[in-house]
Amino acid sequence: MERCACIADTVVVSSVWCIRWIYRCVHGLIEMVAEALYWLTMATQRAPLVKDFNYFITCYLCRGYLIKPTTVTECLHTFCKSCIIQHFEDSNDCPKCGIQVHETNPLEMLRLDNTLEEIIFKLVPGLRDKEEQQEIDFWRKNKSKENGQGDGLGSKRLGLSDDEDGDEDGQDYHRSDPQIAICLDCLHNNGHAADDTVKCLMKKFIRCSSRVTVGTIKKFLSLKLKLSSSCELDVLCNGEIMGKDHTLEFIYMTRWRLHGDNTYPMVLEYRPRIDFG
């Protein structure tokens, strides 16, 4: 009986060992198969294509790649700069979600997204060169149509000028940029006490880069007129308040030149900011 019990115990131990051995073999086989499937999937998976990102880098209005991406700060939707500015000439609502961007001047709520622009240029091969070439071709075609003003806006655009003016130390301080002449006139608002602090410039005609923004013009006026930091200005063209990110070139093309009776140089008016609140 003792011998039978010993044999039975040996059989049980052997069976347990066999079961464990089989389990380890099966478990190891499963791990090998899983690892093989993982590497097979990684090997066969395709690299992402540019079209996979089209939803994020194309303009809702023109359906092309975003050129000078400009974001509406109210809803964070992004469009081509030219597309959204043209849209806001007829509407104050975001073209994508329909939210009212601003009651009177939606252009104030636009911000350029330079980071997104660099990402798009890196994603889409040749897009940067293509856009720059199209811009050069545009200015070459239109520089002779500015009624003698081509030298101020078109002829020097993107290095089209034959002569490059510069300082002796190699810094041109934007003198190689397209230049534009403007007249800064003081616009007084009757009945506002702030008029006493804002005077007319002694020299109101200036010549500067056409890429200067309205924000820079405001800083220039504050410095020349010795205004306090609490005194804010509005800059107007043809009676319309200009956004701080508008360049002089943009204002000339979209606001000043469209009026046939306007002459050169372009006139910008400034006044103390009026609080409508």
Side-chain angles (χ1 to χ4, degrees), residues 147-213:
N147 296 326
Q149 315 304 332
D151 293 337
L153 288 174
S155 61
K156 295 184 180 180
R157 180 70 171 176
L158 294 176
L160 293 180
S161 176
D162 294 332
D163 49 49
E164 297 278 339
D165 295 333
D167 290 346
E168 294 179 358
D169 58 0
Q171 297 181 1
D172 62 5
Y173 298 100
H174 298 282
R175 292 192 182 104
S176 62
D177 286 355
Q179 302 292 301
I180 185 173
I182 62 174
C183 173
L184 295 173
D185 265 345
C186 181
L187 179 65
H188 292 287
N189 301 294
N190 295 330
H192 288 79
D195 287 348
D196 296 335
T197 62
V198 179
K199 307 295 184 182
C200 293
L201 291 172
M202 293 183 61
K203 297 181 179 180
K204 60 182 181 179
F205 293 96
I206 64 173
R207 186 175 180 85
C208 59
S209 168
S210 63
R211 294 168 184 164
V212 168
T213 63

